Amino acid sequence: DMSRRFVVGETIAIDYGVNSTSAAGNTRTDIKSTYRLVGKESVTIEAGTFTACKFESTLDLRSDTAGVKLHTEKTGFLWSDPTFGMIKQSFEGTSNVNAHGYTSSTEHADQQELIRATMGGAQRP
């Protein structure tokens, strides 16, 4: 991947697919995502304090494995550091699974943050 300079307020769309094989058969997962640079802010997490780029992000994921269809939609924020990459993210969304004529929905909230890392000789914390 090439590094990219974002402009505050700019939205970039990244769409891609993943082909996989399991005991259930072959699957294609289609993923559509967007990233909008909100700005830079100071973020303190367990790995330390970072001046990070804050992005508003969306994710739309769809797959079909052996007739079981999954559709997940998420929105939220992620914070990225130029040395360590994604250091924190916070998303909320819904997953719908349709199998054999029945549909179930699950609401979820995802939180992740960097605890510690070493990258290019730099170490946190």
Side-chain angles (χ1 to χ4, degrees):
D1 291 342
M2 292 177 42
S3 62
R4 173 166 171 65
R5 294 191 187 272
F6 280 79
V7 176
V8 173
E10 177 183 22
T11 299
I12 299 297
I14 302 174
D15 300 341
Y16 58 99
V18 177
N19 295 318
S20 58
T21 302
S22 70
N26 296 328
T27 301
R28 166 104 178 153
T29 302
D30 292 308
I31 302 166
K32 295 181 177 190
S33 57
T34 64
Y35 300 89
R36 183 180 69 82
L37 179 59
V38 176
K40 287 187 177 183
E41 68 179 37
S42 179
V43 178
T44 301
I45 55 176
E46 190 170 334
T49 299
F50 298 82
T51 299
C53 290
K54 180 180 181 179
F55 292 89
E56 182 177 33
S57 183
T58 65
L59 176 79
D60 185 294
L61 179 145
R62 295 171 191 261
S63 67
D64 185 340
T65 305
V68 177
K69 296 180 181 189
L70 169 67
H71 180 210
T72 298
E73 293 180 295
K74 294 181 180 185
T75 60
F77 296 94
L78 64 87
W79 292 260
S80 180
D81 175 78
T83 301
F84 292 94
M86 194 276 296
I87 59 169
K88 180 180 176 179
Q89 69 178 16
S90 176
F91 284 93
E92 292 183 352
T94 303
S95 290
N96 295 300
V97 177
N98 183 291
H100 313 292
Y102 296 95
T103 300
S104 65
S105 295
T106 303
E107 301 288 326
H108 49 86
D110 307 326
Q111 306 282 333
Q112 294 180 357
E113 71 176 47
L114 184 66
I115 296 171
R116 68 179 155 272
T118 302
M119 182 72 70
Q123 185 172 352
R124 292 291 185 108

